């Protein structure tokens, strides 16, 4: 594969440095203008002093007035450095990172674990954004690691942060796979890695402080993130710990029929009290390996949008589902982003996307909305599909370039053909079908 490891961890620092240079340039322009005023004033004063003996009194008075008013006139803003009323940021989102035996094995390294190489080929996509989020479907609760426990080493979190991930959805099927102790340990590890968890809390005190949401800020745009899950693998929260994981349904441990309207509205009311510019909801919903979208999902969308949610990002089905974008309202719903990285052993789970959202705030109107979106197709290469027999997640376009360029670590021909097919299926899956299309 081509080398795309460009020290992605420093990209945000570079963007911040650029903004600082622009601010410094603006200050220099202002100082230059001010210095010019001082020089003109000094020259005028010298001329007046040298010629005052020959000038008429009224002329001297007029000169004094001009000197007095000139600095005031030049204090008007320089149109060349007026602030752009539009501020644009980019939020990137990936789907499920599933903690399984094969995922753990992919990070095995000499003396421990290294998942940086597993994510290397998509690290540029993850880090080259103002905010990056994905769903972490697992815990970090010590050994044994893998499918049975859904537990992973902390190194996976450190490497995700190294790739630029800022927030992890923790309201999902695996939130309490290892009980509340597992949840608490995972949240602690996520924060220790420099990432913010969304949608789950270790205890009641933490919940009362967090109020069900997480605030992030980028370039002066205040973004509120909320996360909810359909359920937790059929498990219920122990008595006294209700609310530690945000849920979409009151019957979250059984039928998934009764929408948790009061709970959702309470959290979104708390969010609106913060007066965010944008609200993003991360929802773990739908059915695994099923393309159907339920009526309750549509009801949840309506409920959330009426309560101020601008973006809804879905996970859990493990396969891609449609994206619906309203350019007038500036809202977007991605029903399912598929699997970011996992076993990839079932149909359509070996490919997905990293979604890029363009968010624009208009300082003149105060409005903030989604002004565009795009996506990057990605693919989970399995051990049998690569020359080095390493499982990893790659950008499809770059992997195909590597194949055409005959790179040493290129994928197999079978994998190349699968990727070409995936590109077509991705476009088809992201389009919402009408009832007529389904017939």
């Amino acid at each position: 594969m081509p080398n795309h490891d460009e020290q992605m961890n420093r990209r945000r620092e570079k963007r911040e440095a650029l903004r600082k240079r622009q601010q410094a340039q603006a200050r220099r322009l202002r100082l230059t203008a001010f210095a010019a005023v001082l020089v003109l004033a000094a020259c005028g004063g010298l001329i007046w002093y040298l010629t005052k003996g020959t000038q008429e009194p009224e002329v001297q008075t007029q000169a004094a007035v001009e000197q007095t008013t000139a600095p005031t006139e030049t204090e008007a803003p320089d149109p060349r450095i007026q602030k752009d009323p539009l501020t644009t940021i980019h939020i990137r989102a990936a789907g499920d990172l599933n903690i399984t035996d094969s995922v753990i094995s992919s990070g095995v390294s000499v003396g421990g674990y290294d998942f940086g190489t597993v994510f290397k080929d998509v690290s540029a996509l993850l880090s080259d954004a103002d905010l990056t989020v994905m769903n972490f479907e697992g815990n970090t609760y010590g050994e044994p690691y893998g499918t049975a426990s859904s537990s992973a080493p902390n190194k996976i979190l450190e490497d995700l942060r190294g790739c630029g991930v800022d927030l992890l959805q923790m309201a999902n099927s695996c939130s309490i796979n290892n009980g509340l102790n597992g949840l608490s340990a995972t949240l602690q590890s996520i924060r220790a890695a420099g990432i913010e968890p969304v949608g789950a809390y270790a205890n009641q005190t933490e919940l009362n402080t967090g109020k069900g949401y997480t605030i992030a800020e980028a370039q002066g745009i205040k973004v509120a993130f909320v996360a909810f899950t359909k359920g937790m693998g059929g498990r219920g929260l122990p008595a006294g710990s209700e609310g530690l994981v945000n849920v979409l349904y009151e019957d979250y441990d059984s039928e998934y029929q009764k929408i948790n309207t009061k709970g959702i509205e309470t959290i979104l009311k708390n969010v609106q009290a913060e007066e965010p510019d944008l609200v993003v909801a991360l929802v773990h919903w739908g059915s695994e390996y099923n393309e159907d979208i339920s009526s309750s999902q549509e009801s949840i969308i309506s409920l959330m949008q009426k309560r101020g949610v601008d973006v809804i990002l879905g996970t859990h089905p493990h396969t891609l589902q449609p994206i619906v974008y309203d350019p007038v309202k500036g809202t977007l719903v991605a029903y399912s982003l598929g699997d970011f990285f996992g076993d990839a052993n079932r149909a359509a789970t070996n490919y997905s996307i990293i979604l890029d959202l363009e968010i624009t705030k208009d300082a003149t109107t105060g409005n903030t909305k989604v002004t565009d979106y795009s996506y990057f197709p990605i693919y989970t290469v399995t051990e049998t599909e690569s020359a080095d027999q390493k499982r990893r997640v790659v950008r499809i376009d770059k992997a195909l370039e590597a194949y055409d360029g005959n790179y040493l670590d290129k994928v197999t021909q079978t994998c190349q053909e699968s990727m070409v097919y995936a590109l077509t299926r991705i476009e088809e899956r992201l389009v919402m079908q009408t009832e007529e299309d389904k017939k």
Side-chain angles (χ1 to χ4, degrees):
M1 294 290 292
N3 180 19
H4 302 296
D5 187 7
E6 303 173 309
Q7 298 181 329
M8 290 301 115
N9 295 334
R10 301 182 183 176
R11 284 186 176 235
R12 287 189 180 80
E13 287 79 356
K14 288 182 180 179
R15 287 196 297 270
E16 184 62 26
L18 176 60
R19 288 195 288 272
K20 289 182 179 179
R21 287 198 297 272
Q22 291 172 338
Q23 293 170 353
Q25 183 180 19
R27 286 196 297 270
R28 286 196 296 272
L29 286 171
R30 290 194 293 269
L31 290 173
T32 300
F34 182 67
V37 170
L38 292 179
V39 171
L40 288 174
C43 290
L46 179 61
I47 293 171
W48 174 79
Y49 176 77
L50 294 175
T51 59
K52 65 179 180 178
T54 59
Q55 292 177 338
E56 294 296 324
E58 59 269 26
V59 175
Q60 292 178 355
T61 302
Q62 182 63 28
V65 170
E66 289 176 356
Q67 290 182 56
T68 302
T69 58
T72 303
E73 292 171 355
T74 57
E75 287 176 4
D78 188 335
R80 295 173 300 175
I81 57 175
Q82 285 184 350
K83 186 177 180 181
D84 189 339
L86 301 180
T87 301
T88 299
I89 64 171
H90 285 262
I91 298 174
R92 288 192 177 167
D96 297 296
L97 171 54
N98 303 300
I99 302 305
T100 65
D101 291 340
S102 58
V103 167
I104 296 299
S105 296
S106 71
V108 172
S109 181
V110 177
Y113 291 91
D114 178 11
F115 294 92
T117 55
V118 177
F119 307 137
K120 179 184 69 175
D121 294 311
V122 295
S123 61
L125 298 181
L126 296 174
S127 64
D128 194 18
D130 295 276
L131 294 169
T132 299
V133 61
M134 71 172 60
N135 178 53
F136 185 70
E137 199 154 0
N139 298 153
T140 52
Y141 193 51
E143 297 184 287
Y145 301 135
T147 304
S149 65
S150 71
S151 182
N154 290 341
K155 188 65 165 63
I156 198 168
L157 299 174
E158 297 167 8
D159 289 335
L160 284 175
R161 182 56 189 154
C163 292
V165 175
D166 300 290
L167 303 105
L168 285 176
Q169 178 178 355
M170 275 304 298
N172 56 48
S173 301
C174 296
S175 298
I176 56 172
N177 271 13
N178 291 286
L180 292 183
N181 288 338
L183 174 62
S184 178
T186 304
L187 297 177
Q188 183 177 352
S189 297
I190 290 173
R191 294 190 179 102
I195 305 175
E196 275 298 311
V198 187
Y201 300 89
N203 50 56
Q204 196 64 42
T205 300
E206 194 173 279
L207 171 62
N208 293 339
T209 302
K211 297 182 181 180
Y213 60 86
T214 299
I215 297 291
E217 189 167 319
Q219 297 189 45
I221 295 180
K222 188 176 182 181
V223 184
F225 288 88
V226 295
F228 297 87
T229 184
K230 168 185 180 177
M232 288 163 275
R235 301 175 182 86
L237 289 164
S241 62
E242 296 86 355
L244 295 188
V245 179
N246 296 342
V247 294
L248 291 171
Y249 300 91
E250 291 183 20
D251 52 346
Y252 67 89
D253 56 351
S254 55
E255 300 297 326
Y256 318 115
Q257 294 296 316
K258 191 173 182 179
I259 296 173
N260 183 25
T261 302
K262 182 178 179 181
I264 295 171
E265 288 183 336
T266 297
I267 291 174
L268 294 181
K269 183 178 180 181
N270 293 339
V271 167
Q272 292 306 320
E274 291 279 356
E275 299 184 349
D277 297 303
L278 189 86
V279 182
V280 178
L282 312 172
V283 290
H284 201 70
W285 62 358
S287 299
E288 291 183 299
Y289 317 110
N290 190 323
E291 297 181 17
D292 293 338
I293 294 169
S294 69
S295 59
S296 69
Q297 286 178 267
E298 299 294 357
S299 297
I300 289 168
I301 291 172
S302 178
L303 171 64
M304 288 186 169
Q305 290 182 338
K306 286 179 181 177
R307 299 300 184 273
V309 173
D310 304 286
V311 176
I312 296 174
L313 302 175
T315 54
H316 182 57
H318 303 296
T319 58
L320 278 174
Q321 291 182 350
I323 292 175
V324 178
Y325 170 52
D326 186 332
V328 176
K329 295 180 180 178
T331 61
L332 182 141
V333 177
Y335 284 88
S336 172
L337 293 175
D339 278 351
F340 167 70
F341 189 55
D343 286 343
N345 58 3
R346 297 188 62 155
T349 62
N350 56 348
Y351 61 83
S352 63
I353 62 171
I354 293 176
L355 179 65
D356 181 275
L357 302 176
E358 178 188 88
I359 311 298
T360 303
K361 178 178 181 178
D362 189 334
T364 304
T365 64
N367 291 331
T368 304
K369 63 181 184 178
V370 181
T371 46
D372 200 1
Y373 82 94
S374 59
Y375 59 86
F376 303 90
I378 60 174
Y379 186 95
T380 294
V381 176
T382 64
E383 292 81 356
T384 60
E385 292 180 319
S386 61
D388 58 5
Q389 298 183 331
K390 295 288 187 181
R391 178 180 294 260
R392 63 192 186 278
V393 56
V394 302
R395 280 181 63 164
I396 292 182
D397 58 345
K398 297 301 181 182
L400 292 178
E401 286 178 14
Y403 182 86
D404 293 338
N406 201 30
Y407 282 81
L408 290 177
D409 59 346
K410 69 177 184 178
V411 298
T412 64
Q413 181 179 349
T414 301
C415 183
Q416 182 263 354
E417 293 171 353
S418 181
M419 287 184 182
V420 172
Y421 171 75
L423 288 176
T424 300
R425 292 296 293 134
I426 286 171
E427 290 192 13
E428 293 171 349
R429 282 179 170 274
L430 293 180
V431 177
M432 177 70 85
Q433 289 186 328
T434 64
E435 290 302 319
E436 188 65 29
D437 294 330
K438 297 177 182 178
K439 293 179 180 178

